[in-house]
Amino acid sequence: MPYSEPGKTKFQTDLRRHLRAKNIEDNLIHLICEIAEASKYVINAVRTGDLGVAGTSNLYGEEQLALDVLSDRIMRKRLIHSGVVCKIASEEMDEIYEVTTDSDGMYSVAYDPLDGSSLVDVNLAVGTIVGIYAGCDLLQEGRKQVAAMYILYGPRVSMVYSVGDGVHEFTMNHLMEFTLTRENIRMQPEGNIYSPGGLRNKYSEGNEKFIRYLEAKGAKLRYSGGFVPDINQVLLKGKGIFMYPALNGSPNGKLRLLFELNPMAYLIENAGGAASDGKRAILDIKPESLDQRAPIYIGCTEDVSKAMEYANGN
């Protein structure tokens, strides 16, 4: 049996080495590694932290859990002290935090520190979602992201990232180091799983017909209530669709464009999939505010295309 070159097998490729092979700026490498480092403290908080309520509410009037507040503090502190970030927007903050006005070689970061935090007390998977932009303008189309990533805190801690050159998964080992487990993840054109968010009795007739179409073709329902684990399943299996459509009474759905949809759409598109609000690509929507929401159909290209047909009554 031939020996592998030392340090070159996929389980020995750490995150920093992988990033260095991507021909990207050192500051971006440093930033992604800082976020990965912060996730080690977040997972410790998830595993050991208080599950009680923090007693505060965020911009959207939602009750913040103590873990939300703590995870946000961990991430924000790491970003501020990274030395390469000029602006920060978090789902748990009501305005953009300006670290510096100097934009030269700097980046802006939008993140959801602990998406699905209400699931922690019943021990379901949660995650951190991050979108990175060059310079100091955060309210840009998602297509202008220079990198996106999420960290999934499940039975294993995994991180999926892209800098526009493939989508790659890393897993945290027992030394709390991220090592490469899957490289160049690709989506199939059509899938056989679906994750439908929102109350079905508030779906439009078109969205309800699309669900019946999926069921008729034998697609399996896979929905955890967590955006990160559900997208992770669709992406890593390479076949399926997640949707949180416009609802009767909530025409813009639930999920936030800047903190949740743009990073995930960037990752899925870079894996050969698609993401749409039912009319246009998510990555082509210019955010007008931090709290902007949009419906989402994200996953295999043919499934998303079919969803758009049904959503628009075709």
Side-chain angles (χ1 to χ4, degrees):
M1 180 177 177
Y3 290 100
S4 298
E5 184 180 346
K8 294 296 184 180
T9 62
K10 68 176 182 177
F11 289 105
Q12 293 174 306
T13 301
D14 67 21
L15 177 61
R16 189 175 297 274
R17 177 181 293 180
H18 199 262
L19 287 165
R20 283 175 176 161
K22 294 296 174 186
N23 194 32
I24 59 176
E25 292 183 351
D26 288 344
N27 281 0
L28 184 55
I29 294 173
H30 176 64
L31 176 55
I32 293 173
C33 288
E34 284 289 295
I35 293 167
E37 191 69 22
S39 73
K40 300 177 184 180
Y41 296 90
V42 174
I43 185 56
N44 184 64
V46 169
R47 287 171 175 164
T48 64
D50 179 14
L51 297 179
V53 174
T56 58
S57 61
N58 66 11
L59 174 66
Y60 317 106
E62 299 167 334
E63 196 173 57
Q64 287 179 296
L65 297 181
L67 285 175
D68 284 338
V69 177
L70 180 55
S71 300
D72 182 55
R73 187 179 301 160
I74 290 167
M75 192 65 63
R76 184 167 70 247
K77 184 175 181 180
R78 199 89 197 188
L79 292 173
I80 290 170
H81 292 286
S82 69
V84 297
V85 172
C86 53
K87 287 188 178 178
I88 299 168
S90 164
E91 192 172 52
E92 301 304 326
M93 300 191 297
D94 58 6
E95 59 185 19
I96 293 174
Y97 184 95
E98 185 173 81
V99 182
T100 177
T101 56
D102 180 15
S103 62
D104 187 28
M106 305 290 271
Y107 295 90
S108 293
V109 180
Y111 66 95
D112 185 344
L114 199 62
D115 187 79
S117 57
S118 62
L119 301 174
V120 172
D121 63 346
V122 290
N123 208 24
L124 292 177
V126 295
T128 298
I129 310 172
V130 183
I132 301 173
Y133 300 80
C136 293
D137 183 8
L138 272 167
L139 296 181
Q140 301 185 65
E141 296 89 341
R143 204 168 295 287
K144 295 181 180 178
Q145 290 171 109
V146 294
M149 58 198 291
Y150 64 79
I151 301 104
L152 175 64
Y153 311 110
R156 300 185 305 166
V157 178
S158 62
M159 187 197 75
V160 173
Y161 92 90
S162 178
V163 291
D165 181 16
V167 179
H168 318 289
E169 181 200 33
F170 287 71
T171 302
M172 187 182 288
N173 63 22
H174 66 287
L175 298 175
M176 299 191 83
E177 302 164 334
F178 281 106
T179 54
L180 181 65
T181 44
R182 302 191 201 192
E183 195 169 30
N184 296 313
I185 299 165
R186 299 297 297 173
M187 298 285 296
Q188 297 176 18
E190 187 177 8
N192 61 358
I193 62 174
Y194 69 106
S195 300
L199 293 174
R200 286 277 293 273
N201 64 5
K202 292 189 176 183
Y203 276 19
S204 67
E205 183 180 351
N207 285 314
E208 184 61 34
K209 286 181 178 178
F210 176 60
I211 293 295
R212 292 201 292 269
Y213 157 80
L214 291 172
E215 292 170 341
K217 76 170 188 173
K220 299 174 183 177
L221 174 64
R222 296 288 184 268
Y223 184 70
S224 73
F227 190 42
V228 179
D230 286 342
I231 289 293
N232 188 68
Q233 178 169 226
V234 167
L235 177 62
L236 295 190
K237 289 186 179 297
K239 49 183 183 180
I241 185 170
F242 174 97
M243 58 185 283
Y244 201 113
L247 303 176
N248 294 330
S250 301
N252 294 319
K254 175 188 177 183
L255 301 175
R256 281 101 193 185
L257 182 64
L258 192 62
F259 307 112
E260 297 162 311
L261 302 187
N262 275 345
M264 291 306 200
Y266 184 88
L267 290 165
I268 290 289
E269 278 208 12
N270 272 287
S276 169
D277 69 349
K279 298 181 183 298
R280 54 184 168 167
I282 289 292
L283 295 179
D284 291 334
I285 304 172
K286 182 173 174 59
E288 297 177 1
S289 64
L290 291 183
D291 64 343
Q292 185 169 337
R293 307 179 193 221
I296 180 73
Y297 305 88
I298 181 169
C300 295
T301 55
E302 291 183 12
D303 289 335
V304 171
S305 178
K306 184 66 71 172
M308 293 172 69
E309 290 180 20
Y310 278 100
N312 292 296
N314 297 330

